[in-house]
Amino acid sequence: AQRVTQPEKLLSVFKGAPVELKCNYSYSGSPELFWYVQYSRQRLQLLLRHISRESIKGFTADLNKGETSFHLKKPFAQEEDSAMYYCALLNQAGTALIFGKGTTLSVSS
Amino acid sequence: DAMVIQNPRYQVTQFGKPVTLSCSQTLNHNVMYWYQQKSSQAPKLLFHYYDKDFNNEADTPDNFQSRRPNTSFCFLDIRSPGLGDAAMYLCATSRGGSAYEQYFGPGTRLTVT
């Protein structure tokens, strides 16, 4: 079965604190994983993809096949990082995304 | 310069009264998707069009239909809305072969009374 699990509904941190948004997946084969973000009153948009191994807005995510995880991390949270974050998995056919339920990140000063 | 437009943003319909939600795009993307998102839930794919080819998800109820008259427009028809169909409906587009990078519209919030 193809599934994405985001165990935390809400993560609250203070500005400057490290952030880790958890994502676990279930997939047969080599998964392609992504993080999408939705800022307040904005559209859902792609934040980063595991295959590019890039850092976007200070966020990184490493695919750990042993733990079937793709956690999103940032060493120092900023208030503008407050948003809803969705982990997503490309389906086996490569035709659609399977989303997790999302985690709301709240960064306060 | 809105790229994926959804109308209306808010729609109220009565139980059992057919309703149509619309989506248009200026990106000229091959693929258009419709998602249903209920409160605190993941966006759930209902179906998608790859060009004119319609692809229905196995668990999408028959009550939900879609039309894509041209590249730019796609419609979601709910034939007989039930209270359980109240949700946010998201339209998204992507280039063919790049399903991972989807461009979303702002969504239409559907209320069923």
Side-chain angles (χ1 to χ4, degrees), chain B residues 7 11-13 15 20 27 34 38 45-46 51 56 64 68-69 71 80-81 86 89 92-93 100 105 110:
Chain B
N7 285 308
Q11 176 75 57
V12 181
T13 190
F15 183 94
T20 295
L27 296 163
W34 279 105
K38 296 186 178 180
L45 184 64
L46 295 172
D51 294 323
N56 199 31
F64 291 87
R68 189 180 186 185
T71 301
S80 181
Y89 289 88
T93 72
Y100 69 89
L110 178 68

Side-chain angles (χ1 to χ4, degrees), chain A residues 6 8-9 19 21-22 35-39 44 47 57 59 72 74 78 80-87 100-107:
Chain A
Q6 292 181 252
E8 302 147 325
K9 198 170 178 177
V19 169
L21 296 163
K22 291 185 168 46
W35 279 96
Y36 272 73
V37 62
Q38 186 169 24
Y39 300 102
L44 193 56
L47 178 63
K57 299 186 178 183
F59 284 97
L72 183 68
K74 184 169 183 176
Q78 302 299 314
E80 55 265 31
D81 296 328
S82 296
M84 177 72 106
Y85 291 82
Y86 293 92
C87 184
K101 289 186 179 182
T103 299
T104 299
L105 174 64
S106 175
V107 182

Side-chain angles (χ1 to χ4, degrees), chain B residues 15-111:
Chain B
F15 183 94
K17 186 174 181 181
V19 65
T20 295
L21 309 182
S22 76
C23 177
S24 64
Q25 55 134 338
T26 60
L27 296 163
N28 205 33
H29 283 169
N30 303 76
V31 192
M32 295 186 77
Y33 307 83
W34 279 105
Y35 291 87
Q36 180 193 62
Q37 186 175 25
K38 296 186 178 180
S39 180
S40 300
Q41 298 294 313
K44 179 180 178 298
L45 184 64
L46 295 172
F47 26 59
H48 73 276
Y49 273 95
Y50 193 125
D51 294 323
K52 294 183 179 180
D53 292 333
F54 178 68
N55 299 272
N56 199 31
E57 293 299 298
D59 56 354
T60 298
D62 292 340
N63 197 27
F64 291 87
Q65 304 285 320
S66 186
R67 295 170 283 134
R68 189 180 186 185
N70 53 52
T71 301
S72 300
F73 285 86
C74 195
F75 300 98
L76 169 62
D77 300 309
I78 309 176
R79 293 193 297 190
S80 181
L83 297 179
D85 296 327
M88 176 71 86
Y89 289 88
L90 297 169
C91 175
T93 72
S94 75
R95 293 183 189 87
S98 299
Y100 69 89
E101 187 170 11
Q102 296 185 18
Y103 292 78
F104 282 82
T108 294
R109 177 151 318 268
L110 178 68
T111 300

